[in-house]
Amino acid sequence: MSDDFMLDTDDLERRMDGAMANLKTEFASLRTGRASSSMLEPVMVDAYGSMTPINQVGTVNVPEPRMVTINVWDKGLVGKVEKAIRESGLGINPQLNGTIIMLPIPELNEERRRELSKVAGSYAENARVSVRNVRRDGMDQIKKGKADGLSEDDQKIWESEVQEMTDKYIKNVDEALETKQAEIMQV
């Protein structure tokens, strides 16, 4: 009976990869004082009767490190795009130039950098919790296998494999957080 037990480590790894991907997406949305088109992803514009992402009403470019431009395709939407950016809470003041909206990215002050660093830390902690939840699911599967006749030696082997995978992903989360915090605190 014990030979039948197979832990789906690929599934556990895929789920841990998902936690890392989610963390990277959350980190990309954090403003670091450098221009990035991804910082506009959460902003939605009321266009043609529905809420639409900015990248679907215009072309988003980053011509220089501290400037984002949006070339709005429909002149009638320029005001709505500008309003959506003002109300988004990004702390950016849009400047109009015909159908092009320019977003100068202001310098971050020390206090704001610390706040962003704390936010990055909370994102990382959420990712660690997700990885640990996947670990717990794997350990539960191993316990069920033991109840079905998995030998104690095999149980220890599977548990150590799940723990190694967890440690690797937690280390990746910590490294990503360190990199992001260094990027945020860089003047």
Side-chain angles (χ1 to χ4, degrees):
M1 187 81 176
S2 65
D3 295 338
D4 295 341
F5 181 79
M6 270 309 289
L7 183 65
D8 190 356
T9 54
D10 290 342
D11 178 55
L12 296 178
E13 196 159 359
R14 180 187 52 75
R15 290 169 56 198
M16 288 183 186
D17 278 336
M20 282 301 297
N22 188 43
L23 178 66
K24 285 187 171 92
T25 303
E26 287 177 328
F27 277 176
S29 71
L30 279 180
R31 212 179 88 206
T32 58
R34 253 200 317 275
S36 162
S37 59
S38 62
M39 62 194 278
L40 293 172
E41 283 176 8
V43 181
M44 302 296 266
V45 180
D46 182 11
Y48 312 116
S50 67
M51 296 309 280
T52 311
I54 281 189
N55 63 4
Q56 292 182 13
V57 295
T59 308
V60 180
N61 290 312
V62 183
E64 52 189 80
R66 305 191 71 59
M67 177 73 71
V68 176
T69 60
I70 306 161
N71 187 355
V72 183
W73 301 317
D74 181 352
K75 279 185 178 180
L77 292 177
V78 173
K80 289 183 178 184
V81 171
E82 181 188 17
K83 182 180 177 197
I85 293 167
R86 280 190 202 283
E87 295 175 352
S88 68
L90 288 173
I92 299 173
N93 193 16
Q95 300 170 352
L96 289 178
N97 184 2
T99 59
I100 296 177
I101 299 174
M102 296 182 299
L103 307 173
I105 309 300
E107 283 284 337
L108 294 175
N109 61 20
E110 188 68 25
E111 183 183 338
R112 183 68 178 136
R113 287 178 195 280
R114 289 191 204 292
E115 282 176 31
L116 287 173
S117 191
K118 285 179 186 171
V119 170
S122 72
Y123 287 165
E125 185 53 35
N126 291 343
R128 285 188 208 103
V129 167
S130 296
V131 168
R132 289 187 198 117
N133 285 341
V134 174
R135 174 191 175 276
R136 187 194 62 228
D137 292 348
M139 293 299 190
D140 288 348
Q141 290 175 30
I142 293 168
K143 283 183 184 141
K144 284 184 188 146
K146 185 167 180 0
D148 292 341
L150 180 68
S151 73
E152 212 166 295
D153 288 345
D154 287 345
Q155 177 188 1
K156 296 273 186 242
I157 291 168
W158 284 113
E159 284 177 351
S160 70
E161 189 172 329
V162 169
Q163 188 59 50
E164 280 175 30
M165 190 185 309
T166 303
D167 293 344
K168 180 181 97 176
Y169 278 92
I170 295 289
K171 184 174 176 249
N172 290 348
V173 168
D174 292 341
E175 287 170 357
L177 174 61
E178 244 177 70
T179 304
K180 189 62 177 183
Q181 284 180 329
E183 188 181 302
I184 290 170
M185 296 310 283
Q186 179 184 331
V187 179

